[in-house]
Amino acid sequence: MQRLFALLLIPIILCCGKTTPLEPENNPPHKPVPIVPADGKKNISSSINLQWSGGDPDQGDIVTYDIHVGVSDSPDQVKSNSSINSYQTQNLKFSTTYFWKIVSHDNHGNMTSGD
């Protein structure tokens, strides 16, 4: 009978041991949404202040932005790790179509790309 008791006691000890609390799941940043200029806007200045909305659903997360601007639909990165939701362009050429995209990052390594 002692042997049976010992076998039953081991699983109880294993299942009731100390556990480490799990960290809550972290969500990626919100998708950046362009505000200024409006999509398809024409006849803009050679210097315009791009603006977008962003942020993160997790309170306390730090969000930074990579800004991409160029003449192709896959624009070059012109600034990284910006902590503000705007970027002042310089020396844009008239009669030229430009594309821009924002990629947001949080301090947990998550990222979300805008359209």
Side-chain angles (χ1 to χ4, degrees):
M1 188 67 166
Q2 288 179 345
R3 184 174 233 137
L4 180 60
F5 177 73
L7 292 175
L8 293 175
L9 184 58
I10 291 173
I12 292 171
I13 292 172
L14 293 176
C15 77
C16 302
K18 191 174 184 179
T19 60
T20 305
L22 298 175
E23 289 187 29
E25 184 177 327
N26 187 267
N27 298 295
H30 293 301
K31 182 178 181 177
V33 177
I35 299 173
V36 174
D39 193 24
K41 178 83 172 163
K42 296 183 181 210
N43 300 321
I44 62 171
S45 167
S46 64
S47 175
I48 188 166
N49 190 29
L50 304 176
Q51 298 174 25
W52 59 92
S53 65
D56 194 287
D58 299 308
Q59 186 175 8
D61 277 11
I62 298 168
V63 180
T64 58
Y65 303 96
D66 295 340
I67 298 102
H68 299 252
V69 178
V71 294
S72 77
D73 61 357
S74 182
D76 295 330
Q77 182 174 308
V78 295
K79 183 168 177 113
S80 64
N81 295 322
S82 176
S83 60
I84 58 175
N85 295 35
S86 65
Y87 175 75
Q88 185 71 42
T89 65
Q90 301 292 324
N91 302 320
L92 299 180
K93 296 178 183 172
F94 291 103
S95 300
T96 304
T97 299
Y98 284 89
F99 299 86
W100 63 293
K101 176 176 82 170
I102 306 300
V103 179
S104 57
H105 301 267
D106 70 15
N107 55 315
H108 296 277
N110 297 312
M111 73 159 231
T112 305
S113 181
D115 294 331

